[in-house]
Amino acid sequence: MAEGLRERKKRETRQRISDIATGLFLEHGFVTVTIADVAEAADVSVNTVYNYFPAKEDLFFDRSAGVVDQLSRWVRARTEGESAARAVLRELRAEVEAVSPRLGLMEGYDRFMRCIHEAPPLRSRLWSMQQEIHDHLETTLREEAGAGADDPLPRLIAGQIAWIHQTVFVGIGREMVAGRNPGKVSREVLVLLDDIEELLGEKVLNYAVRGAP
């Protein structure tokens, strides 16, 4: 019980620091705000902030781990007879139809995107995350398809699927920065997903189809 309480307090402290930091970044800009500013606003020491977040970019992208492995989780959860790419397309459509904030379909997302565009360290971290998404997905596809280490297909298919994901995120981000209504953007992105699927070749759409158990 005592250990559970400590862990809960740690999670609460981490979340509070992250929330306060995000508010400061959005209000004053990522480059302007220092770790000392975050620590003061959160009423903790600078060392405490670093204990939870090794780098300032980690404060901004505090949920990056869930983003990096999301495509892999969707692929691993695909249904019988479903390929990796079709599983990702299905999941993305569901998120878009739900006007999900996880995709940026929310009021105020434009502030988040502008903060990234104005801060080179955040743009660099975002690029690194995209590489991590691709590499993580390649590993998953290699395992799911039973492909050998010298087989180039998992890397190529991962690139195509990661492109789908990135195209949707970039498209939504661009429209939200322009002040568009999330519901309207959602409907347009559903059409975009149909166009994307038409562009994909059969080899991509039929790769790593899950067989019957």
Side-chain angles (χ1 to χ4, degrees):
M1 182 65 70
E3 184 177 359
L5 180 61
R6 286 197 298 271
E7 290 304 313
R8 178 174 62 81
K9 287 185 175 180
K10 286 181 180 179
R11 287 195 299 272
E12 290 175 349
T13 299
R14 186 185 191 282
Q15 189 61 56
R16 184 168 61 85
I17 293 172
S18 173
D19 291 344
I20 289 172
T22 298
L24 290 173
F25 293 149
L26 294 180
E27 183 177 355
H28 303 291
F30 180 80
V31 175
T32 302
V33 175
T34 66
I35 292 294
D37 293 332
V38 173
E40 181 179 0
D43 195 24
V44 297
S45 69
V46 169
N47 284 340
T48 296
V49 176
Y50 277 120
N51 284 340
Y52 287 102
F53 303 94
K56 192 164 75 164
E57 292 84 353
D58 296 324
L59 278 163
F60 192 87
F61 292 114
D62 63 320
R63 295 174 179 84
S64 62
V67 173
V68 167
D69 69 1
Q70 185 178 59
L71 294 183
S72 289
R73 285 187 281 110
W74 286 348
V75 168
R76 292 188 188 281
R78 68 195 185 285
T79 60
E80 180 183 338
E82 189 174 45
S83 70
R86 292 192 189 281
V88 170
L89 285 165
R90 173 176 54 77
E91 292 284 359
L92 281 172
R93 283 192 177 98
E95 292 280 318
V96 173
E97 286 176 350
V99 194
S100 173
R102 288 187 293 267
L103 293 181
L105 290 166
M106 58 183 289
E107 300 293 343
Y109 189 67
D110 57 314
R111 296 175 64 203
F112 182 83
M113 291 303 299
R114 287 194 182 95
C115 194
I116 293 175
H117 289 313
E118 293 169 359
L122 292 181
R123 295 201 303 272
S124 178
R125 173 61 69 88
L126 189 59
W127 182 87
S128 296
M129 286 171 57
Q130 291 166 352
Q131 291 297 116
E132 289 181 55
I133 289 170
H134 175 276
D135 294 345
H136 200 289
L137 181 58
E138 179 189 342
T139 298
T140 297
L141 289 174
R142 200 170 293 281
E143 293 172 355
E144 293 292 301
D150 59 346
D151 187 343
L153 268 182
R155 184 180 311 109
L156 297 174
I157 301 295
Q160 291 291 295
I161 295 176
W163 167 75
I164 298 170
H165 186 250
Q166 183 180 358
T167 299
V168 168
F169 262 97
V170 169
I172 289 174
R174 180 175 58 246
E175 297 305 317
M176 297 311 297
V177 167
R180 300 285 310 285
N181 175 272
K184 291 182 178 179
V185 174
S186 169
R187 292 191 289 274
E188 292 173 4
V189 173
L190 287 174
V191 175
L192 174 64
L193 281 166
D194 289 341
D195 292 339
I196 288 172
E197 186 167 1
E198 288 184 7
L199 287 172
L200 297 173
E202 289 301 310
K203 183 167 285 189
V204 174
L205 290 172
N206 294 314
Y207 188 78
V209 173
R210 167 150 288 162

